[in-house]
mmCIF file of all heavy atoms in Angstrom:
data_model
loop_
_atom_site.group_PDB
_atom_site.id
_atom_site.type_symbol
_atom_site.label_atom_id
_atom_site.label_comp_id
_atom_site.label_asym_id
_atom_site.label_seq_id
_atom_site.Cartn_x
_atom_site.Cartn_y
_atom_site.Cartn_z
ATOM 1 N N ALA A 30 145.773 230.857 -3.283
ATOM 2 C CA ALA A 30 146.131 231.328 -1.936
ATOM 3 C C ALA A 30 146.679 232.751 -1.979
ATOM 4 O O ALA A 30 147.223 233.201 -2.995
ATOM 5 C CB ALA A 30 147.164 230.394 -1.329
ATOM 6 N N LYS A 31 146.528 233.434 -0.837
ATOM 7 C CA LYS A 31 147.123 234.760 -0.699
ATOM 8 C C LYS A 31 147.696 234.916 0.704
ATOM 9 O O LYS A 31 147.352 234.176 1.624
ATOM 10 C CB LYS A 31 146.084 235.850 -0.976
ATOM 11 C CG LYS A 31 144.994 235.972 0.085
ATOM 12 C CD LYS A 31 144.028 237.115 -0.251
ATOM 13 C CE LYS A 31 142.987 237.320 0.859
ATOM 14 N NZ LYS A 31 142.050 238.409 0.531
ATOM 15 N N GLN A 32 148.592 235.871 0.841
ATOM 16 C CA GLN A 32 149.225 236.142 2.136
ATOM 17 C C GLN A 32 148.162 236.621 3.124
ATOM 18 O O GLN A 32 147.376 237.522 2.829
ATOM 19 C CB GLN A 32 150.315 237.206 1.976
ATOM 20 C CG GLN A 32 150.984 237.645 3.272
ATOM 21 C CD GLN A 32 151.664 236.510 4.023
ATOM 22 O OE1 GLN A 32 151.181 236.065 5.072
ATOM 23 N NE2 GLN A 32 152.774 236.026 3.487
ATOM 24 N N ALA A 33 148.137 235.993 4.304
ATOM 25 C CA ALA A 33 147.102 236.299 5.289
ATOM 26 C C ALA A 33 147.572 237.289 6.347
ATOM 27 O O ALA A 33 146.733 237.883 7.039
ATOM 28 C CB ALA A 33 146.632 235.012 5.959
ATOM 29 N N TYR A 34 148.878 237.467 6.487
ATOM 30 C CA TYR A 34 149.406 238.250 7.599
ATOM 31 C C TYR A 34 149.806 239.636 7.099
ATOM 32 O O TYR A 34 150.644 239.782 6.210
ATOM 33 C CB TYR A 34 150.607 237.541 8.221
ATOM 34 C CG TYR A 34 150.867 237.897 9.665
ATOM 35 C CD1 TYR A 34 150.366 237.110 10.700
ATOM 36 C CD2 TYR A 34 151.607 239.026 10.005
ATOM 37 C CE1 TYR A 34 150.597 237.439 12.021
ATOM 38 C CE2 TYR A 34 151.849 239.359 11.328
ATOM 39 C CZ TYR A 34 151.339 238.560 12.327
ATOM 40 O OH TYR A 34 151.571 238.886 13.646
ATOM 41 N N LYS A 35 149.204 240.661 7.665
ATOM 42 C CA LYS A 35 149.476 242.031 7.238
ATOM 43 C C LYS A 35 150.948 242.390 7.447
ATOM 44 O O LYS A 35 151.548 242.049 8.459
ATOM 45 C CB LYS A 35 148.588 243.011 8.009
ATOM 46 C CG LYS A 35 147.112 242.908 7.652
ATOM 47 C CD LYS A 35 146.289 243.937 8.416
ATOM 48 C CE LYS A 35 144.813 243.835 8.046
ATOM 49 N NZ LYS A 35 143.984 244.814 8.797
ATOM 50 N N GLY A 36 151.512 243.093 6.463
ATOM 51 C CA GLY A 36 152.890 243.536 6.561
ATOM 52 C C GLY A 36 153.885 242.599 5.907
ATOM 53 O O GLY A 36 155.059 242.935 5.768
ATOM 54 N N ARG A 37 153.421 241.401 5.490
ATOM 55 C CA ARG A 37 154.306 240.460 4.821
ATOM 56 C C ARG A 37 154.100 240.533 3.303
ATOM 57 O O ARG A 37 153.086 241.022 2.822
ATOM 58 C CB ARG A 37 154.062 239.043 5.337
ATOM 59 C CG ARG A 37 154.420 238.884 6.796
ATOM 60 C CD ARG A 37 154.146 237.470 7.301
ATOM 61 N NE ARG A 37 154.445 237.351 8.721
ATOM 62 C CZ ARG A 37 154.156 236.293 9.462
ATOM 63 N NH1 ARG A 37 153.564 235.248 8.904
ATOM 64 N NH2 ARG A 37 154.465 236.264 10.746
ATOM 65 N N SER A 38 155.056 240.006 2.581
ATOM 66 C CA SER A 38 155.061 240.116 1.129
ATOM 67 C C SER A 38 153.814 239.494 0.506
ATOM 68 O O SER A 38 153.404 238.386 0.858
ATOM 69 C CB SER A 38 156.304 239.431 0.556
ATOM 70 O OG SER A 38 156.242 239.382 -0.860
ATOM 71 N N THR A 39 153.230 240.210 -0.454
ATOM 72 C CA THR A 39 152.094 239.696 -1.229
ATOM 73 C C THR A 39 152.528 239.326 -2.646
ATOM 74 O O THR A 39 151.692 239.127 -3.531
ATOM 75 C CB THR A 39 150.973 240.749 -1.289
ATOM 76 O OG1 THR A 39 151.490 241.961 -1.873
ATOM 77 C CG2 THR A 39 150.440 241.052 0.110
ATOM 78 N N GLU A 40 153.823 239.221 -2.854
ATOM 79 C CA GLU A 40 154.382 238.953 -4.178
ATOM 80 C C GLU A 40 153.831 237.683 -4.818
ATOM 81 O O GLU A 40 153.670 237.601 -6.043
ATOM 82 C CB GLU A 40 155.910 238.861 -4.072
ATOM 83 C CG GLU A 40 156.614 238.505 -5.365
ATOM 84 C CD GLU A 40 158.104 238.300 -5.179
ATOM 85 O OE1 GLU A 40 158.605 238.486 -4.033
ATOM 86 O OE2 GLU A 40 158.778 237.947 -6.173
ATOM 87 N N PHE A 41 153.529 236.691 -3.979
ATOM 88 C CA PHE A 41 153.115 235.390 -4.507
ATOM 89 C C PHE A 41 151.606 235.151 -4.431
ATOM 90 O O PHE A 41 151.142 234.040 -4.671
ATOM 91 C CB PHE A 41 153.859 234.272 -3.762
ATOM 92 C CG PHE A 41 155.356 234.358 -3.912
ATOM 93 C CD1 PHE A 41 156.134 234.966 -2.920
ATOM 94 C CD2 PHE A 41 155.981 233.861 -5.037
ATOM 95 C CE1 PHE A 41 157.501 235.061 -3.060
ATOM 96 C CE2 PHE A 41 157.359 233.947 -5.185
ATOM 97 C CZ PHE A 41 158.124 234.551 -4.196
ATOM 98 N N ASP A 42 150.863 236.191 -4.116
ATOM 99 C CA ASP A 42 149.409 236.047 -4.054
ATOM 100 C C ASP A 42 148.864 235.621 -5.421
ATOM 101 O O ASP A 42 149.316 236.098 -6.470
ATOM 102 C CB ASP A 42 148.754 237.367 -3.642
ATOM 103 C CG ASP A 42 148.895 237.659 -2.168
ATOM 104 O OD1 ASP A 42 149.654 236.944 -1.495
ATOM 105 O OD2 ASP A 42 148.249 238.609 -1.687
ATOM 106 N N GLY A 43 147.891 234.711 -5.391
ATOM 107 C CA GLY A 43 147.230 234.297 -6.618
ATOM 108 C C GLY A 43 147.986 233.290 -7.454
ATOM 109 O O GLY A 43 147.567 232.966 -8.571
ATOM 110 N N GLN A 44 149.097 232.747 -6.921
ATOM 111 C CA GLN A 44 149.916 231.824 -7.710
ATOM 112 C C GLN A 44 149.766 230.360 -7.313
ATOM 113 O O GLN A 44 149.999 229.477 -8.139
ATOM 114 C CB GLN A 44 151.397 232.213 -7.600
ATOM 115 C CG GLN A 44 151.735 233.573 -8.151
ATOM 116 C CD GLN A 44 153.232 233.853 -8.133
ATOM 117 O OE1 GLN A 44 154.051 232.935 -8.210
ATOM 118 N NE2 GLN A 44 153.593 235.130 -8.024
ATOM 119 N N PHE A 45 149.376 230.083 -6.056
ATOM 120 C CA PHE A 45 149.444 228.721 -5.547
ATOM 121 C C PHE A 45 148.059 228.153 -5.240
ATOM 122 O O PHE A 45 147.172 228.858 -4.771
ATOM 123 C CB PHE A 45 150.305 228.668 -4.278
ATOM 124 C CG PHE A 45 151.684 229.243 -4.449
ATOM 125 C CD1 PHE A 45 152.256 230.009 -3.442
ATOM 126 C CD2 PHE A 45 152.403 229.034 -5.613
ATOM 127 C CE1 PHE A 45 153.525 230.533 -3.581
ATOM 128 C CE2 PHE A 45 153.676 229.553 -5.771
ATOM 129 C CZ PHE A 45 154.239 230.315 -4.755
ATOM 130 N N ASP A 46 147.911 226.843 -5.481
ATOM 131 C CA ASP A 46 146.645 226.155 -5.248
ATOM 132 C C ASP A 46 146.419 225.859 -3.768
ATOM 133 O O ASP A 46 147.337 225.930 -2.948
ATOM 134 C CB ASP A 46 146.625 224.825 -6.007
ATOM 135 C CG ASP A 46 146.616 225.010 -7.512
ATOM 136 O OD1 ASP A 46 146.256 226.107 -7.971
ATOM 137 O OD2 ASP A 46 146.980 224.055 -8.225
ATOM 138 N N ILE A 47 145.184 225.466 -3.453
ATOM 139 C CA ILE A 47 144.822 225.012 -2.112
ATOM 140 C C ILE A 47 145.011 223.493 -2.081
ATOM 141 O O ILE A 47 144.332 222.766 -2.819
ATOM 142 C CB ILE A 47 143.360 225.358 -1.778
ATOM 143 C CG1 ILE A 47 143.055 226.821 -2.106
ATOM 144 C CG2 ILE A 47 143.059 225.014 -0.317
ATOM 145 C CD1 ILE A 47 143.996 227.825 -1.501
ATOM 146 N N PRO A 48 145.909 222.971 -1.248
ATOM 147 C CA PRO A 48 146.187 221.524 -1.278
ATOM 148 C C PRO A 48 145.215 220.714 -0.431
ATOM 149 O O PRO A 48 144.588 221.222 0.499
ATOM 150 C CB PRO A 48 147.598 221.440 -0.708
ATOM 151 C CG PRO A 48 147.711 222.612 0.212
ATOM 152 C CD PRO A 48 146.848 223.705 -0.381
ATOM 153 N N THR A 49 145.128 219.441 -0.782
ATOM 154 C CA THR A 49 144.438 218.475 0.066
ATOM 155 C C THR A 49 145.421 217.923 1.082
ATOM 156 O O THR A 49 146.645 218.066 0.938
ATOM 157 C CB THR A 49 143.881 217.306 -0.759
ATOM 158 O OG1 THR A 49 144.981 216.582 -1.340
ATOM 159 C CG2 THR A 49 142.946 217.803 -1.852
ATOM 160 N N PHE A 50 144.891 217.262 2.118
ATOM 161 C CA PHE A 50 145.754 216.641 3.115
ATOM 162 C C PHE A 50 146.635 215.574 2.470
ATOM 163 O O PHE A 50 147.818 215.458 2.785
ATOM 164 C CB PHE A 50 144.899 216.038 4.217
ATOM 165 C CG PHE A 50 145.678 215.433 5.359
ATOM 166 C CD1 PHE A 50 146.834 216.028 5.840
ATOM 167 C CD2 PHE A 50 145.228 214.262 5.968
ATOM 168 C CE1 PHE A 50 147.546 215.473 6.907
ATOM 169 C CE2 PHE A 50 145.929 213.700 7.024
ATOM 170 C CZ PHE A 50 147.087 214.299 7.488
ATOM 171 N N GLU A 51 146.059 214.796 1.562
ATOM 172 C CA GLU A 51 146.827 213.752 0.884
ATOM 173 C C GLU A 51 148.009 214.339 0.114
ATOM 174 O O GLU A 51 149.105 213.757 0.086
ATOM 175 C CB GLU A 51 145.927 212.958 -0.061
ATOM 176 C CG GLU A 51 144.937 212.051 0.638
ATOM 177 C CD GLU A 51 143.689 212.779 1.116
ATOM 178 O OE1 GLU A 51 143.599 214.014 0.913
ATOM 179 O OE2 GLU A 51 142.810 212.122 1.700
ATOM 180 N N GLU A 52 147.811 215.500 -0.493
ATOM 181 C CA GLU A 52 148.907 216.141 -1.235
ATOM 182 C C GLU A 52 150.020 216.588 -0.301
ATOM 183 O O GLU A 52 151.207 216.513 -0.651
ATOM 184 C CB GLU A 52 148.357 217.325 -2.030
ATOM 185 C CG GLU A 52 147.515 216.919 -3.231
ATOM 186 C CD GLU A 52 146.831 218.095 -3.905
ATOM 187 O OE1 GLU A 52 146.455 219.067 -3.204
ATOM 188 O OE2 GLU A 52 146.650 218.036 -5.131
ATOM 189 N N VAL A 53 149.670 217.041 0.888
ATOM 190 C CA VAL A 53 150.688 217.448 1.858
ATOM 191 C C VAL A 53 151.479 216.230 2.345
ATOM 192 O O VAL A 53 152.701 216.288 2.503
ATOM 193 C CB VAL A 53 150.057 218.197 3.039
ATOM 194 C CG1 VAL A 53 151.103 218.500 4.109
ATOM 195 C CG2 VAL A 53 149.400 219.486 2.564
ATOM 196 N N ILE A 54 150.790 215.120 2.577
ATOM 197 C CA ILE A 54 151.478 213.893 2.984
ATOM 198 C C ILE A 54 152.475 213.466 1.907
ATOM 199 O O ILE A 54 153.629 213.130 2.203
ATOM 200 C CB ILE A 54 150.469 212.767 3.255
ATOM 201 C CG1 ILE A 54 149.631 213.083 4.493
ATOM 202 C CG2 ILE A 54 151.197 211.430 3.436
ATOM 203 C CD1 ILE A 54 148.501 212.092 4.752
ATOM 204 N N ARG A 55 152.038 213.511 0.641
ATOM 205 C CA ARG A 55 152.935 213.142 -0.456
ATOM 206 C C ARG A 55 154.146 214.054 -0.503
ATOM 207 O O ARG A 55 155.279 213.608 -0.714
ATOM 208 C CB ARG A 55 152.194 213.195 -1.804
ATOM 209 C CG ARG A 55 151.399 211.952 -2.122
ATOM 210 C CD ARG A 55 151.114 211.850 -3.613
ATOM 211 N NE ARG A 55 150.352 212.985 -4.114
ATOM 212 C CZ ARG A 55 149.025 213.051 -4.087
ATOM 213 N NH1 ARG A 55 148.323 212.054 -3.568
ATOM 214 N NH2 ARG A 55 148.408 214.094 -4.579
ATOM 215 N N LEU A 56 153.912 215.340 -0.309
ATOM 216 C CA LEU A 56 155.020 216.294 -0.324
ATOM 217 C C LEU A 56 156.022 215.982 0.781
ATOM 218 O O LEU A 56 157.244 216.009 0.558
ATOM 219 C CB LEU A 56 154.489 217.717 -0.157
ATOM 220 C CG LEU A 56 155.588 218.779 -0.028
ATOM 221 C CD1 LEU A 56 156.147 219.122 -1.398
ATOM 222 C CD2 LEU A 56 155.085 220.019 0.673
ATOM 223 N N ALA A 57 155.526 215.689 1.983
ATOM 224 C CA ALA A 57 156.424 215.386 3.102
ATOM 225 C C ALA A 57 157.285 214.171 2.782
ATOM 226 O O ALA A 57 158.481 214.132 3.097
ATOM 227 C CB ALA A 57 155.614 215.152 4.375
ATOM 228 N N LYS A 58 156.701 213.168 2.150
ATOM 229 C CA LYS A 58 157.461 211.976 1.780
ATOM 230 C C LYS A 58 158.504 212.301 0.709
ATOM 231 O O LYS A 58 159.651 211.840 0.770
ATOM 232 C CB LYS A 58 156.516 210.885 1.293
ATOM 233 C CG LYS A 58 155.631 210.306 2.380
ATOM 234 C CD LYS A 58 154.774 209.170 1.854
ATOM 235 C CE LYS A 58 153.981 208.522 2.978
ATOM 236 N NZ LYS A 58 153.204 207.359 2.533
ATOM 237 N N GLU A 59 158.099 213.107 -0.271
ATOM 238 C CA GLU A 59 159.032 213.499 -1.324
ATOM 239 C C GLU A 59 160.193 214.308 -0.757
ATOM 240 O O GLU A 59 161.358 214.102 -1.131
ATOM 241 C CB GLU A 59 158.288 214.308 -2.385
ATOM 242 C CG GLU A 59 157.313 213.492 -3.213
ATOM 243 C CD GLU A 59 156.370 214.356 -4.036
ATOM 244 O OE1 GLU A 59 156.472 215.600 -3.943
ATOM 245 O OE2 GLU A 59 155.517 213.787 -4.750
ATOM 246 N N GLU A 60 159.891 215.238 0.148
ATOM 247 C CA GLU A 60 160.942 216.058 0.752
ATOM 248 C C GLU A 60 161.854 215.220 1.646
ATOM 249 O O GLU A 60 163.050 215.474 1.743
ATOM 250 C CB GLU A 60 160.322 217.215 1.542
ATOM 251 C CG GLU A 60 159.666 218.271 0.676
ATOM 252 C CD GLU A 60 160.660 219.046 -0.171
ATOM 253 O OE1 GLU A 60 161.816 219.240 0.282
ATOM 254 O OE2 GLU A 60 160.296 219.457 -1.292
ATOM 255 N N THR A 61 161.294 214.216 2.299
ATOM 256 C CA THR A 61 162.098 213.308 3.116
ATOM 257 C C THR A 61 163.130 212.593 2.261
ATOM 258 O O THR A 61 164.317 212.512 2.609
ATOM 259 C CB THR A 61 161.185 212.292 3.832
ATOM 260 O OG1 THR A 61 160.411 212.977 4.816
ATOM 261 C CG2 THR A 61 161.995 211.201 4.512
#
């Protein structure tokens, strides 16, 4: 992933994967 909005930090570009919907659901449960 990369930053999509111009003018915002690109420091973390190229570091994070593209998640599946199931992975987001799991994350929400873990954060809960």
Side-chain angles (χ1 to χ4, degrees):
K31 69 178 184 181
Q32 176 59 252
Y34 205 95
K35 291 182 180 179
R37 295 179 182 172
S38 173
T39 58
E40 177 185 357
F41 300 97
D42 284 10
Q44 297 185 28
F45 305 140
D46 293 340
I47 311 307
T49 64
F50 183 39
E51 289 82 359
E52 288 173 327
V53 175
I54 292 174
R55 277 200 300 274
L56 175 80
K58 291 183 175 184
E59 290 167 359
E60 290 293 328
T61 291

